[in-house]
């Protein structure tokens, strides 16, 4: 007899495990199925271990610039194995934390590869055997994996995906990063700060292409100043792998192809959803360009089958997956949540400097026909930024000129990934320029620039 649950969650990333906990909180009997490690990509191979690595490269950067702060630091060096070990231990700690949360919430964890065999039925392959489970509701949260180059599959030796790039056994001497989304830029920043000679190649005309154009332009200038070579509007044509490295041929925007040697390549050209062999075709679950199609409550076209997170499409972010999970489970448990929407999901890049944004870019606001007011405040006008030795960056805000609605906020500079949440909350509460201008910001803080940017949109900035 199959074990029976109210809800089975397939996949334990930030979408799946959060959904499982919410289900348990609402009184459902929940099981979660995981083929690898609790916590999914985010905790084990994504958000968290990269931030541990980036913390190391940030500290290393400060150590190599100790003189700027009146400090002396001689013989600065690093132990790559220990850097990787620290990052893995951070992941391990969080993985153990999720295990603890499952236990605390009385969620049954089933290890193995799960396949939906029929409506309400799921079979989990474990070694040579299988375990059969049944539930009224099955939630697919199987996430995604790195997209490979069609002509040069990642081999873990010279050509890396993010998984290889996170556990390097050697420091690349000359690194080619293909793709300049958040993942590509974060790895470029890490390896550049650790001393590698780094080149980023981007097919589109600018790096971090989803960000505001001014942010992309600032980052291109700043990363170039910090030593990263950036080639935009360029396509990788060919990679030949040898024993000592790779030869990469890149076609530039002028149409000319050049071939150069690199020690390693990181392929960061996007993701592929994990939808294969989990029974979707047999049940007739609709997918769109590989991603499972869902409504605002994570419902697929097949009753009793739901999907959330990376497997359902962009933005491919942990907090998007978690929020979708909560909305989905509250609805299936009989609640009345607001449907999931993407208008107020912040996006962050944890490079040095950091990038953070929410809402419409200036260009998108104009495209949408909005009459806008734009405020921009530079880090150089902020006392705390100067005291920190981080006076490079800006905060840009975009308002609807008629209603005062904060349409978007775009930041680049130190700690902006922490600051952005202020604007996210403001937007969630439907705040207008007036309340933001009336708000008192503590001094001295970087957050004062958020105030100044708003004031600036209305010609009232004090320190610029
Ligand atoms: C290098 C990198 C850095 C990132 N940094 C950030 C960041 O800073 N902030 C951010 O918000 N996002 C970041 N992301 C993206 C983030 O990791 C994902 O958006 C998030 O993990 C998606 O969560 P999920 O629950 O949808 O799926 P996942 O985290 O992918 O989890 C899916 C889980 O399902 C399991 N699974 C799949 N198929 C089966 C099956 N058939 N049976 C059993 N188990 C199965 C997988 O093993 C996996 O554990 C980063 C990603 C990468 C790669």
């Amino acid at each position: 007899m199959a074990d029976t649950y109210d809800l089975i969650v397939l996949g334990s990333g930030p979408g799946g495990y959060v959904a499982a906990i919410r289900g348990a909180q609402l009184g459902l009997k929940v099981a979660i199925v995981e083929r690898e490690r609790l916590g999914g990509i985010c905790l084990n191979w994504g958000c968290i271990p990269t931030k541990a690595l980036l913390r190391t490269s940030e500290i290393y950067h400060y150590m190599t610039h100790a003189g700027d702060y009146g400090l002396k630091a001689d013989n600065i060096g690093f132990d790559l194995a220990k850097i990787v070990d620290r990052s893995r231990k951070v992941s391990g700690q969080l993985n153990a934390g999720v295990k603890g949360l499952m236990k605390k919430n009385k969620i049954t964890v089933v290890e193995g590869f799960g396949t939906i065999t029929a409506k309400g039925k799921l079979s989990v392959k474990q070694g040579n055997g299988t375990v059969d489970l049944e539930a009224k509701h099955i939630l697919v949260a199987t996430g995604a994996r790195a997209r490979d180059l069609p002509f040069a599959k990642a081999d873990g030796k010279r050509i890396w995906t993010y998984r290889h790039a996170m556990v390097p056994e050697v420091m690349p001497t000359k690194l080619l990063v293909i793709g300049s989304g958040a993942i590509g830029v974060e790895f470029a920043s890490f390896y550049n700060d650790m001393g590698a000679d780094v080149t980023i190649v981007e097919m589109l005309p600018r790096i971090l292409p989803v960000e505001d154009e001014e942010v992309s332009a600032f980052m291109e200038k700043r990363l170039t100043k910090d030593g990263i070579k950036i080639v935009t509007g360029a396509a990788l044509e060919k990679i030949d792998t040898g024993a000592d490295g790779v030869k990469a041929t890149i076609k530039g925007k002028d149409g000319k192809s050049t071939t150069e040697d690199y020690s390693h390549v990181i392929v960061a050209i996007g993701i592929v959803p994990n939808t294969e062999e989990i029974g979707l075709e047999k049940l007739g679950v609709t997918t769109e360009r590989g991603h499972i199609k869902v409504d605002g409550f994570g419902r697929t076209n097949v009753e009793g089958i739901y999907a959330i997170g990376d497997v359902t499409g962009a933005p491919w972010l942990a907090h998007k997956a978690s929020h979708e999970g909560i909305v989905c489970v509250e609805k299936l448990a009989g609640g009345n949540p607001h449907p999931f929407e993407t208008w107020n999901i912040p996006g962050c890049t944890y490079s040095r400097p950091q990038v953070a944004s929410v809402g419409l870019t200036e260009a998108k606001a104009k495209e949408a026909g909005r009459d806008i007011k734009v405020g921009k405040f530079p880090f150089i006008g902020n006392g705390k930024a100067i005291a920190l030795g981080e006076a490079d960056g800006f905060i840009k805000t975009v308002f609807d000129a008629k209603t005062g609605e904060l349409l978007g906020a775009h930041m680049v500079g130190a700690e902006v990934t922490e600051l952005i949440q202020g604007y996210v909350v403001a937007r969630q509460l439907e705040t207008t320029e007036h309340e933001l201008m009336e708000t008192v910001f503590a001094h001295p803080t970087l957050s004062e620039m958020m105030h100044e940017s708003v004031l600036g949109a209305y010609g009232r900035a004090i320190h610029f």
Side-chain angles (χ1 to χ4, degrees), residues 145-164 178 236-242 245-247 263-269 272 276:
R145 58 188 183 274
R147 183 179 291 282
D148 255 323
L149 280 171
F151 51 85
K153 286 218 175 312
D155 59 8
K157 293 188 182 100
R158 297 288 167 186
I159 306 178
W160 293 351
T161 65
Y162 59 80
R163 286 209 186 209
H164 310 115
I178 303 165
L236 180 77
E237 288 187 314
K238 199 163 92 151
I239 291 190
D240 290 320
T241 314
V246 301
K247 274 190 192 310
S263 68
H264 296 84
V265 178
I266 296 176
V267 181
I269 55 169
V272 185
E276 302 90 349

Side-chain angles (χ1 to χ4, degrees), residues 10-16 33-37 39-42 45-47 50-51 112-114 141-144 162 166 183 187 274 278 308-310 316-319 321 350:
L10 184 58
S12 73
V33 181
E34 175 55 57
R35 65 178 176 186
E36 213 180 306
R37 284 170 67 81
I41 294 300
C42 177
W45 295 105
C47 327
T50 47
K51 270 74 240 176
F113 188 96
T142 47
Y162 59 80
M166 221 168 296
I183 294 175
F187 278 119
N274 295 324
I278 54 172
I308 55 161
D310 278 10
W316 297 291
L317 294 167
H319 41 285
Y350 300 78

Side-chain angles (χ1 to χ4, degrees), residues 116-169:
I116 307 170
T117 49
K119 263 193 193 181
K121 291 184 195 297
L122 195 134
S123 150
V124 184
K125 221 185 267 168
Q126 297 179 324
N128 292 331
T130 55
V131 174
D132 292 323
L133 308 174
E134 286 183 10
K136 189 170 174 205
H137 309 286
I138 297 179
L139 172 51
V140 180
T142 47
R145 58 188 183 274
R147 183 179 291 282
D148 255 323
L149 280 171
F151 51 85
K153 286 218 175 312
D155 59 8
K157 293 188 182 100
R158 297 288 167 186
I159 306 178
W160 293 351
T161 65
Y162 59 80
R163 286 209 186 209
H164 310 115
M166 221 168 296
V167 289
E169 285 173 12

